[in-house]
Every structure is written in structure tokens, then in C-alpha cells.
Amino acid sequence: MENEEYKLCNTYCDEICNISDDSDIVNVLRGILESTIIQEKLETLLFELPKRIKRAGFAYNGKNYWEHVRSIFKQIIYHNIWKANYIQNGQDRIVENQYKAYYEQLDMVKILQTQNKVSRDSAAGFIWVLNTCIFIVAEYNFKLVV
């Protein structure tokens, strides 16, 4: 029984995460959930869940939850490629369709050496915060980023 409930719960969660239009969200949620939730609890859920979905920032402009999260990750990856390129080469502009080429030119040792150099100055030194762990996605398959 537990396994069936788990599968059913996953099915409902997947359906909710695949909502990509918030114009009629209450009725869409009602269609997904009304056969499984007691009516009085359903009304509370239908009042609260649309607000949470809108606050999470998906289900608008045709984006479902998964597309929304992917676009956030892409922004983080692009920003860190830009920052790494800036640290390494001093360039503050990257042509939109050239991120892969700039990524492939990055030299993490050179970036670390630059970081170490600018951080040594006790009066005016600083450290750039660079998230290199996110590069694992670009390293694995850059097509996931574009």
C-alpha cells in the first residue's frame, strides 16, 4: 500500500510541477487533486498552493517548474563563466552565443593565481567569489547549458 501511495504522490507532484500556465491554476489544481483530497482540505490547498506556485516563480510565460529551475541554473553557469573570464582575461563582455568558447578557454590555475595575487594586498586586496562547482554541468555536457 505504501508503495502505491508513494507512486500516486509522485504522479501528482509531477503533474503540479508541469503546470506552465497560471491563468486558470485553481481549476487545473482542482482537476489534479480533487479525487484524492478531502473536500474541506482541498479548498484550503487550492487557496494556498497557487500563491506558493506564483511565489516560486514558475507557471507563467509557458514555463513549468523544471524549465524554470533549468533557466536559473543556466543563469548561474553563465554568470560564473563571465566572472571566470573576467578574472582570467579582464574582459567584461561575452557574446551571448560564445559562452562555450569562453568556457573552453578558461584556465583554473591561472584564475587561482590571479585570485591569490589580488588577495595578498592587506589594504586593498579582495577575493572574487567564483562558483566553480557549477562548471560540472558545462564540463559534462554543454548542450545542457544552452
Side-chain angles (χ1 to χ4, degrees):
M1 183 69 166
E2 246 181 67
N3 194 24
E4 288 178 32
E5 289 176 357
Y6 179 77
K7 287 179 182 178
L8 194 59
C9 181
N10 278 342
T11 299
Y12 296 136
C13 287
D14 285 344
E15 288 182 34
I16 290 169
C17 287
N18 282 316
I19 295 171
S20 61
D21 182 5
D22 66 355
S23 62
D24 194 27
I25 197 162
V26 172
N27 286 327
V28 171
L29 288 168
R30 184 182 305 280
I32 295 169
L33 300 171
E34 73 182 341
S35 66
T36 61
I37 297 178
I38 299 169
Q39 188 63 33
E40 61 195 41
K41 292 187 178 190
L42 179 63
E43 294 307 315
T44 302
L45 184 62
L46 292 176
F47 177 76
E48 195 59 38
L49 194 53
K51 290 191 293 187
R52 290 181 185 239
I53 288 172
K54 287 181 182 186
R55 193 174 332 138
F58 77 96
Y60 69 95
N61 294 333
K63 284 188 178 180
N64 64 33
Y65 173 79
W66 308 114
E67 293 164 333
H68 176 69
V69 169
R70 185 175 183 179
S71 70
I72 290 171
F73 272 113
K74 284 170 53 174
Q75 290 173 8
I76 293 168
I77 293 167
Y78 283 166
H79 178 74
N80 281 279
I81 290 171
W82 173 88
K83 191 182 286 187
N85 181 62
Y86 182 77
I87 295 168
Q88 179 177 308
N89 301 315
Q91 298 172 328
D92 65 351
R93 294 191 191 269
I94 293 180
V95 178
E96 185 65 32
N97 62 355
Q98 296 295 314
Y99 275 92
K100 183 177 182 182
Y102 281 91
Y103 171 75
E104 290 171 345
Q105 299 293 321
L106 294 178
D107 179 346
M108 294 301 158
V109 173
K110 186 174 181 183
I111 291 169
L112 178 61
Q113 290 170 342
T114 303
Q115 289 270 47
N116 289 338
K117 180 180 174 186
V118 298
S119 68
R120 280 192 194 109
D121 185 342
S122 60
F126 59 93
I127 297 175
W128 285 286
V129 177
L130 183 63
N131 181 355
T132 57
C133 73
I134 199 76
F135 290 157
I136 194 167
V137 176
E139 184 71 27
Y140 172 71
N141 184 353
F142 206 89
K143 289 179 183 176
L144 296 172
V145 179
V146 289

